[in-house]
PDB file of all heavy atoms in Angstrom:
ATOM      1  N   LEU I   1     106.069 103.995  72.325  1.00 54.00           N
ATOM      2  CA  LEU I   1     106.006 105.318  72.817  1.00 54.00           C
ATOM      3  C   LEU I   1     107.152 105.538  73.992  1.00 54.00           C
ATOM      4  O   LEU I   1     107.852 106.584  73.866  1.00 54.00           O
ATOM      5  CB  LEU I   1     104.647 105.727  73.432  1.00 54.00           C
ATOM      6  CG  LEU I   1     103.593 105.980  72.360  1.00 54.00           C
ATOM      7  CD1 LEU I   1     102.156 106.158  73.083  1.00 54.00           C
ATOM      8  CD2 LEU I   1     103.956 107.260  71.513  1.00 54.00           C
ATOM      9  N   LEU I   2     107.199 104.633  74.843  1.00 55.00           N
ATOM     10  CA  LEU I   2     108.212 104.870  75.882  1.00 55.00           C
ATOM     11  C   LEU I   2     109.638 104.767  75.348  1.00 55.00           C
ATOM     12  O   LEU I   2     110.507 105.569  75.757  1.00 55.00           O
ATOM     13  CB  LEU I   2     108.026 103.637  76.896  1.00 55.00           C
ATOM     14  CG  LEU I   2     106.872 103.750  77.799  1.00 55.00           C
ATOM     15  CD1 LEU I   2     106.772 102.501  78.651  1.00 55.00           C
ATOM     16  CD2 LEU I   2     107.045 104.927  78.809  1.00 55.00           C
ATOM     17  N   SER I   3     109.880 103.943  74.244  1.00 55.00           N
ATOM     18  CA  SER I   3     111.227 103.798  73.726  1.00 55.00           C
ATOM     19  C   SER I   3     111.565 104.982  72.926  1.00 55.00           C
ATOM     20  O   SER I   3     112.687 105.515  72.902  1.00 55.00           O
ATOM     21  CB  SER I   3     111.286 102.601  72.895  1.00 55.00           C
ATOM     22  OG  SER I   3     110.316 102.690  71.793  1.00 55.00           O
ATOM     23  N   SER I   4     110.492 105.717  72.276  1.00 50.00           N
ATOM     24  CA  SER I   4     110.702 106.847  71.510  1.00 50.00           C
ATOM     25  C   SER I   4     110.920 108.158  72.436  1.00 50.00           C
ATOM     26  O   SER I   4     111.638 108.992  72.007  1.00 50.00           O
ATOM     27  CB  SER I   4     109.489 107.070  70.671  1.00 50.00           C
ATOM     28  OG  SER I   4     108.333 107.237  71.320  1.00 50.00           O
ATOM     29  N   PHE I   5     110.303 108.139  73.511  1.00 48.00           N
ATOM     30  CA  PHE I   5     110.484 109.259  74.482  1.00 48.00           C
ATOM     31  C   PHE I   5     111.677 109.186  75.335  1.00 48.00           C
ATOM     32  O   PHE I   5     111.977 110.145  75.878  1.00 48.00           O
ATOM     33  CB  PHE I   5     109.247 109.254  75.389  1.00 48.00           C
ATOM     34  CG  PHE I   5     107.898 109.826  74.835  1.00 48.00           C
ATOM     35  CD1 PHE I   5     106.740 109.431  75.363  1.00 48.00           C
ATOM     36  CD2 PHE I   5     108.047 110.569  73.629  1.00 48.00           C
ATOM     37  CE1 PHE I   5     105.568 109.855  74.623  1.00 48.00           C
ATOM     38  CE2 PHE I   5     106.869 110.951  72.910  1.00 48.00           C
ATOM     39  CZ  PHE I   5     105.636 110.557  73.489  1.00 48.00           C
ATOM     40  N   THR I   6     112.379 107.956  75.416  1.00 47.00           N
ATOM     41  CA  THR I   6     113.529 107.847  76.283  1.00 47.00           C
ATOM     42  C   THR I   6     114.572 108.880  75.989  1.00 47.00           C
ATOM     43  O   THR I   6     115.257 109.386  76.885  1.00 47.00           O
ATOM     44  CB  THR I   6     114.059 106.422  76.181  1.00 47.00           C
ATOM     45  OG1 THR I   6     113.005 105.505  76.511  1.00 47.00           O
ATOM     46  CG2 THR I   6     115.156 106.215  77.150  1.00 47.00           C
ATOM     47  N   GLY I   7     114.742 109.109  74.711  1.00 47.00           N
ATOM     48  CA  GLY I   7     115.820 110.028  74.329  1.00 47.00           C
ATOM     49  C   GLY I   7     115.601 111.469  74.702  1.00 47.00           C
ATOM     50  O   GLY I   7     116.531 112.243  75.048  1.00 47.00           O
ATOM     51  N   SER I   8     114.337 111.885  74.614  1.00 41.00           N
ATOM     52  CA  SER I   8     113.975 113.265  74.746  1.00 41.00           C
ATOM     53  C   SER I   8     113.463 113.638  76.186  1.00 41.00           C
ATOM     54  O   SER I   8     113.565 114.786  76.719  1.00 41.00           O
ATOM     55  CB  SER I   8     112.907 113.696  73.763  1.00 41.00           C
ATOM     56  OG  SER I   8     111.782 112.914  74.004  1.00 41.00           O
ATOM     57  N   CYS I   9     112.793 112.670  76.945  1.00 47.00           N
ATOM     58  CA  CYS I   9     112.276 112.994  78.232  1.00 47.00           C
ATOM     59  C   CYS I   9     113.181 112.440  79.332  1.00 47.00           C
ATOM     60  O   CYS I   9     114.054 111.653  79.069  1.00 47.00           O
ATOM     61  CB  CYS I   9     110.904 112.264  78.457  1.00 47.00           C
ATOM     62  SG  CYS I   9     109.643 112.888  77.235  1.00 47.00           S
ATOM     63  N   ASP I  10     112.902 112.898  80.497  1.00 58.00           N
ATOM     64  CA  ASP I  10     113.682 112.441  81.711  1.00 58.00           C
ATOM     65  C   ASP I  10     113.418 110.964  82.029  1.00 58.00           C
ATOM     66  O   ASP I  10     112.139 110.577  82.183  1.00 58.00           O
ATOM     67  CB  ASP I  10     113.389 113.363  82.858  1.00 58.00           C
ATOM     68  CG  ASP I  10     114.264 113.165  84.045  1.00 58.00           C
ATOM     69  OD1 ASP I  10     115.298 112.268  83.909  1.00 58.00           O
ATOM     70  OD2 ASP I  10     114.133 113.656  85.141  1.00 58.00           O
ATOM     71  N   SER I  11     114.480 110.171  82.112  1.00 66.00           N
ATOM     72  CA  SER I  11     114.200 108.720  82.378  1.00 66.00           C
ATOM     73  C   SER I  11     113.655 108.526  83.811  1.00 66.00           C
ATOM     74  O   SER I  11     112.957 107.517  83.967  1.00 66.00           O
ATOM     75  CB  SER I  11     115.555 107.994  82.185  1.00 66.00           C
ATOM     76  OG  SER I  11     116.534 108.384  83.061  1.00 66.00           O
ATOM     77  N   ASP I  12     113.947 109.357  84.702  1.00 69.00           N
ATOM     78  CA  ASP I  12     113.393 109.257  86.049  1.00 69.00           C
ATOM     79  C   ASP I  12     111.898 109.339  86.095  1.00 69.00           C
ATOM     80  O   ASP I  12     111.213 108.582  86.697  1.00 69.00           O
ATOM     81  CB  ASP I  12     113.954 110.372  87.033  1.00 69.00           C
ATOM     82  CG  ASP I  12     115.432 110.058  87.340  1.00 69.00           C
ATOM     83  OD1 ASP I  12     115.833 108.845  87.159  1.00 69.00           O
ATOM     84  OD2 ASP I  12     116.117 110.965  87.604  1.00 69.00           O
ATOM     85  N   LEU I  13     111.275 110.299  85.234  1.00 69.00           N
ATOM     86  CA  LEU I  13     109.899 110.397  85.131  1.00 69.00           C
ATOM     87  C   LEU I  13     109.281 109.072  84.497  1.00 69.00           C
ATOM     88  O   LEU I  13     108.150 108.724  84.990  1.00 69.00           O
ATOM     89  CB  LEU I  13     109.643 111.597  84.306  1.00 69.00           C
ATOM     90  CG  LEU I  13     108.054 111.886  84.034  1.00 69.00           C
ATOM     91  CD1 LEU I  13     107.373 112.126  85.485  1.00 69.00           C
ATOM     92  CD2 LEU I  13     107.860 113.149  83.176  1.00 69.00           C
ATOM     93  N   LEU I  14     109.838 108.579  83.528  1.00 70.00           N
ATOM     94  CA  LEU I  14     109.377 107.342  82.897  1.00 70.00           C
ATOM     95  C   LEU I  14     109.333 106.195  83.885  1.00 70.00           C
ATOM     96  O   LEU I  14     108.423 105.410  83.997  1.00 70.00           O
ATOM     97  CB  LEU I  14     110.108 107.007  81.624  1.00 70.00           C
ATOM     98  CG  LEU I  14     110.009 107.994  80.473  1.00 70.00           C
ATOM     99  CD1 LEU I  14     110.920 107.511  79.369  1.00 70.00           C
ATOM    100  CD2 LEU I  14     108.499 107.901  79.987  1.00 70.00           C
ATOM    101  N   LYS I  15     110.383 106.071  84.655  1.00 67.00           N
ATOM    102  CA  LYS I  15     110.596 105.025  85.643  1.00 67.00           C
ATOM    103  C   LYS I  15     109.583 105.184  86.821  1.00 67.00           C
ATOM    104  O   LYS I  15     108.927 104.265  87.221  1.00 67.00           O
ATOM    105  CB  LYS I  15     112.032 105.048  86.281  1.00 67.00           C
ATOM    106  CG  LYS I  15     112.991 104.523  85.207  1.00 67.00           C
ATOM    107  CD  LYS I  15     114.349 104.390  86.016  1.00 67.00           C
ATOM    108  CE  LYS I  15     115.481 103.943  85.043  1.00 67.00           C
ATOM    109  NZ  LYS I  15     116.840 104.048  85.625  1.00 67.00           N
ATOM    110  N   PHE I  16     109.417 106.511  87.170  1.00 69.00           N
ATOM    111  CA  PHE I  16     108.343 106.766  88.244  1.00 69.00           C
ATOM    112  C   PHE I  16     106.951 106.422  87.836  1.00 69.00           C
ATOM    113  O   PHE I  16     106.193 105.756  88.496  1.00 69.00           O
ATOM    114  CB  PHE I  16     108.318 108.168  88.621  1.00 69.00           C
ATOM    115  CG  PHE I  16     107.509 108.530  89.812  1.00 69.00           C
ATOM    116  CD1 PHE I  16     107.927 108.251  91.082  1.00 69.00           C
ATOM    117  CD2 PHE I  16     106.331 109.190  89.653  1.00 69.00           C
ATOM    118  CE1 PHE I  16     107.162 108.451  92.277  1.00 69.00           C
ATOM    119  CE2 PHE I  16     105.501 109.369  90.706  1.00 69.00           C
ATOM    120  CZ  PHE I  16     105.905 109.119  91.994  1.00 69.00           C
ATOM    121  N   ASN I  17     106.606 106.655  86.595  1.00 69.00           N
ATOM    122  CA  ASN I  17     105.281 106.289  85.914  1.00 69.00           C
ATOM    123  C   ASN I  17     105.129 104.758  85.943  1.00 69.00           C
ATOM    124  O   ASN I  17     104.073 104.230  86.207  1.00 69.00           O
ATOM    125  CB  ASN I  17     105.122 106.883  84.576  1.00 69.00           C
ATOM    126  CG  ASN I  17     104.865 108.423  84.734  1.00 69.00           C
ATOM    127  OD1 ASN I  17     104.436 108.903  85.630  1.00 69.00           O
ATOM    128  ND2 ASN I  17     105.233 109.032  83.564  1.00 69.00           N
ATOM    129  N   GLN I  18     106.191 104.093  85.632  1.00 67.00           N
ATOM    130  CA  GLN I  18     106.233 102.643  85.546  1.00 67.00           C
ATOM    131  C   GLN I  18     105.979 101.990  86.991  1.00 67.00           C
ATOM    132  O   GLN I  18     105.381 100.988  87.236  1.00 67.00           O
ATOM    133  CB  GLN I  18     107.464 102.138  84.923  1.00 67.00           C
ATOM    134  CG  GLN I  18     107.418 102.242  83.409  1.00 67.00           C
ATOM    135  CD  GLN I  18     108.732 101.884  82.762  1.00 67.00           C
ATOM    136  OE1 GLN I  18     109.750 101.588  83.492  1.00 67.00           O
ATOM    137  NE2 GLN I  18     108.781 101.804  81.466  1.00 67.00           N
ATOM    138  N   LEU I  19     106.687 102.666  87.944  1.00 66.00           N
ATOM    139  CA  LEU I  19     106.698 102.245  89.307  1.00 66.00           C
ATOM    140  C   LEU I  19     105.219 102.353  89.814  1.00 66.00           C
ATOM    141  O   LEU I  19     104.812 101.514  90.739  1.00 66.00           O
ATOM    142  CB  LEU I  19     107.588 103.082  90.162  1.00 66.00           C
ATOM    143  CG  LEU I  19     107.657 102.706  91.675  1.00 66.00           C
ATOM    144  CD1 LEU I  19     108.255 101.386  91.901  1.00 66.00           C
ATOM    145  CD2 LEU I  19     108.557 103.665  92.471  1.00 66.00           C
ATOM    146  N   LYS I  20     104.400 103.355  89.437  1.00 67.00           N
ATOM    147  CA  LYS I  20     103.067 103.582  89.924  1.00 67.00           C
ATOM    148  C   LYS I  20     102.143 102.403  89.525  1.00 67.00           C
ATOM    149  O   LYS I  20     101.291 101.989  90.204  1.00 67.00           O
ATOM    150  CB  LYS I  20     102.548 104.884  89.396  1.00 67.00           C
ATOM    151  CG  LYS I  20     103.138 106.127  90.141  1.00 67.00           C
ATOM    152  CD  LYS I  20     102.694 107.426  89.585  1.00 67.00           C
ATOM    153  CE  LYS I  20     101.250 107.542  89.760  1.00 67.00           C
ATOM    154  NZ  LYS I  20     100.694 108.812  89.156  1.00 67.00           N
ATOM    155  N   PHE I  21     102.438 101.963  88.232  1.00 66.00           N
ATOM    156  CA  PHE I  21     101.584 100.876  87.705  1.00 66.00           C
ATOM    157  C   PHE I  21     102.154  99.444  87.899  1.00 66.00           C
ATOM    158  O   PHE I  21     101.344  98.536  87.896  1.00 66.00           O
ATOM    159  CB  PHE I  21     101.347 101.123  86.210  1.00 66.00           C
ATOM    160  CG  PHE I  21     100.598 102.428  85.842  1.00 66.00           C
ATOM    161  CD1 PHE I  21     101.263 103.443  85.290  1.00 66.00           C
ATOM    162  CD2 PHE I  21      99.259 102.559  86.006  1.00 66.00           C
ATOM    163  CE1 PHE I  21     100.523 104.680  85.114  1.00 66.00           C
ATOM    164  CE2 PHE I  21      98.496 103.602  85.898  1.00 66.00           C
ATOM    165  CZ  PHE I  21      99.258 104.772  85.315  1.00 66.00           C
ATOM    166  N   ARG I  22     103.293  99.413  88.241  1.00 74.00           N
ATOM    167  CA  ARG I  22     104.006  98.049  88.453  1.00 74.00           C
ATOM    168  C   ARG I  22     104.801  98.117  89.700  1.00 74.00           C
ATOM    169  O   ARG I  22     106.102  98.404  89.571  1.00 74.00           O
ATOM    170  CB  ARG I  22     104.811  97.632  87.196  1.00 74.00           C
ATOM    171  CG  ARG I  22     105.710  96.404  87.475  1.00 74.00           C
ATOM    172  CD  ARG I  22     104.879  95.104  87.759  1.00 74.00           C
ATOM    173  NE  ARG I  22     105.807  94.006  87.881  1.00 74.00           N
ATOM    174  CZ  ARG I  22     106.242  93.580  88.996  1.00 74.00           C
ATOM    175  NH1 ARG I  22     106.129  94.306  90.184  1.00 74.00           N
ATOM    176  NH2 ARG I  22     107.117  92.578  89.067  1.00 74.00           N
ATOM    177  N   LYS I  23     104.182  98.046  90.861  1.00 81.00           N
ATOM    178  CA  LYS I  23     104.994  98.246  92.106  1.00 81.00           C
ATOM    179  C   LYS I  23     105.774  96.825  92.405  1.00 81.00           C
ATOM    180  O   LYS I  23     105.263  95.786  92.099  1.00 81.00           O
ATOM    181  CB  LYS I  23     103.957  98.457  93.260  1.00 81.00           C
ATOM    182  CG  LYS I  23     103.229  99.881  93.141  1.00 81.00           C
ATOM    183  CD  LYS I  23     102.423 100.024  94.363  1.00 81.00           C
ATOM    184  CE  LYS I  23     101.693 101.348  94.235  1.00 81.00           C
ATOM    185  NZ  LYS I  23     100.812 101.687  95.363  1.00 81.00           N
ATOM    186  N   LYS I  24     106.924  97.168  92.999  1.00 87.00           N
ATOM    187  CA  LYS I  24     107.798  96.034  93.437  1.00 87.00           C
ATOM    188  C   LYS I  24     107.112  95.195  94.455  1.00 87.00           C
ATOM    189  O   LYS I  24     106.382  95.756  95.349  1.00 87.00           O
ATOM    190  CB  LYS I  24     109.206  96.450  93.740  1.00 87.00           C
ATOM    191  CG  LYS I  24     109.954  97.135  92.667  1.00 87.00           C
ATOM    192  CD  LYS I  24     110.434  96.094  91.567  1.00 87.00           C
ATOM    193  CE  LYS I  24     111.344  96.736  90.580  1.00 87.00           C
ATOM    194  NZ  LYS I  24     110.712  97.838  89.787  1.00 87.00           N
ATOM    195  N   LYS I  25     107.300  93.930  94.499  1.00 91.00           N
ATOM    196  CA  LYS I  25     106.787  93.030  95.505  1.00 91.00           C
ATOM    197  C   LYS I  25     107.711  93.052  96.714  1.00 91.00           C
ATOM    198  O   LYS I  25     108.905  92.615  96.632  1.00 91.00           O
ATOM    199  CB  LYS I  25     106.586  91.681  95.128  1.00 91.00           C
ATOM    200  CG  LYS I  25     105.554  91.476  93.948  1.00 91.00           C
ATOM    201  CD  LYS I  25     105.456  90.023  93.596  1.00 91.00           C
ATOM    202  CE  LYS I  25     104.449  90.000  92.515  1.00 91.00           C
ATOM    203  NZ  LYS I  25     104.318  88.486  91.976  1.00 91.00           N
ATOM    204  N   LEU I  26     107.266  93.803  97.805  1.00 92.00           N
ATOM    205  CA  LEU I  26     108.051  93.961  98.985  1.00 92.00           C
ATOM    206  C   LEU I  26     107.297  93.513 100.248  1.00 92.00           C
ATOM    207  O   LEU I  26     106.081  93.402 100.212  1.00 92.00           O
ATOM    208  CB  LEU I  26     108.523  95.465  99.148  1.00 92.00           C
ATOM    209  CG  LEU I  26     109.299  96.053  97.976  1.00 92.00           C
ATOM    210  CD1 LEU I  26     109.396  97.433  98.140  1.00 92.00           C
ATOM    211  CD2 LEU I  26     110.570  95.341  97.712  1.00 92.00           C
ATOM    212  N   LYS I  27     108.058  93.177 101.351  1.00 92.00           N
ATOM    213  CA  LYS I  27     107.444  92.875 102.622  1.00 92.00           C
ATOM    214  C   LYS I  27     108.261  93.323 103.705  1.00 92.00           C
ATOM    215  O   LYS I  27     109.392  93.515 103.633  1.00 92.00           O
ATOM    216  CB  LYS I  27     107.160  91.360 102.651  1.00 92.00           C
ATOM    217  CG  LYS I  27     108.434  90.562 102.844  1.00 92.00           C
ATOM    218  CD  LYS I  27     108.264  89.076 103.055  1.00 92.00           C
ATOM    219  CE  LYS I  27     109.490  88.375 103.158  1.00 92.00           C
ATOM    220  NZ  LYS I  27     109.308  86.879 103.449  1.00 92.00           N
ATOM    221  N   PHE I  28     107.580  93.700 104.926  1.00 87.00           N
ATOM    222  CA  PHE I  28     108.282  94.045 106.027  1.00 87.00           C
ATOM    223  C   PHE I  28     108.252  93.058 107.013  1.00 87.00           C
ATOM    224  O   PHE I  28     107.098  92.362 107.402  1.00 87.00           O
ATOM    225  CB  PHE I  28     107.867  95.418 106.565  1.00 87.00           C
ATOM    226  CG  PHE I  28     106.488  95.371 107.235  1.00 87.00           C
ATOM    227  CD1 PHE I  28     106.474  95.369 108.708  1.00 87.00           C
ATOM    228  CD2 PHE I  28     105.354  95.520 106.518  1.00 87.00           C
ATOM    229  CE1 PHE I  28     105.204  95.344 109.282  1.00 87.00           C
ATOM    230  CE2 PHE I  28     104.074  95.500 107.187  1.00 87.00           C
ATOM    231  CZ  PHE I  28     104.048  95.385 108.462  1.00 87.00           C
ATOM    232  N   CYS I  29     109.286  92.679 107.717  1.00 90.00           N
ATOM    233  CA  CYS I  29     109.300  91.753 108.910  1.00 90.00           C
ATOM    234  C   CYS I  29     110.520  92.074 109.725  1.00 90.00           C
ATOM    235  O   CYS I  29     111.265  92.878 109.571  1.00 90.00           O
ATOM    236  CB  CYS I  29     109.451  90.339 108.286  1.00 90.00           C
ATOM    237  SG  CYS I  29     110.735  89.964 107.190  1.00 90.00           S
ATOM    238  N   LYS I  30     110.800  91.190 110.754  1.00 90.00           N
ATOM    239  CA  LYS I  30     111.844  91.371 111.691  1.00 90.00           C
ATOM    240  C   LYS I  30     113.173  91.461 110.955  1.00 90.00           C
ATOM    241  O   LYS I  30     113.506  90.688 110.214  1.00 90.00           O
ATOM    242  CB  LYS I  30     111.769  90.374 112.880  1.00 90.00           C
ATOM    243  CG  LYS I  30     110.705  90.561 113.792  1.00 90.00           C
ATOM    244  CD  LYS I  30     110.983  91.880 114.693  1.00 90.00           C
ATOM    245  CE  LYS I  30     109.938  92.008 115.720  1.00 90.00           C
ATOM    246  NZ  LYS I  30     110.207  93.225 116.516  1.00 90.00           N
ATOM    247  N   SER I  31     114.041  92.425 111.447  1.00 89.00           N
ATOM    248  CA  SER I  31     115.388  92.601 110.753  1.00 89.00           C
ATOM    249  C   SER I  31     116.353  92.262 111.752  1.00 89.00           C
ATOM    250  O   SER I  31     116.211  92.549 112.990  1.00 89.00           O
ATOM    251  CB  SER I  31     115.500  93.928 110.228  1.00 89.00           C
ATOM    252  OG  SER I  31     116.836  94.291 109.896  1.00 89.00           O
ATOM    253  N   HIS I  32     117.548  91.722 111.293  1.00 88.00           N
ATOM    254  CA  HIS I  32     118.711  91.502 112.205  1.00 88.00           C
ATOM    255  C   HIS I  32     119.505  92.772 112.314  1.00 88.00           C
ATOM    256  O   HIS I  32     120.350  92.743 113.275  1.00 88.00           O
ATOM    257  CB  HIS I  32     119.571  90.492 111.474  1.00 88.00           C
ATOM    258  CG  HIS I  32     120.354  90.927 110.359  1.00 88.00           C
ATOM    259  ND1 HIS I  32     119.677  90.992 109.093  1.00 88.00           N
ATOM    260  CD2 HIS I  32     121.622  91.421 110.136  1.00 88.00           C
ATOM    261  CE1 HIS I  32     120.518  91.436 108.180  1.00 88.00           C
ATOM    262  NE2 HIS I  32     121.663  91.724 108.790  1.00 88.00           N
TER     263      HIS I  32
END
């Protein structure tokens, strides 16, 4: 479904939906 919608829907919206379900692994700590 995602591959079929890529051509017709906004790719940013698809990426945002994927980001909600698959969040990147990040951490905050002291920075230089």
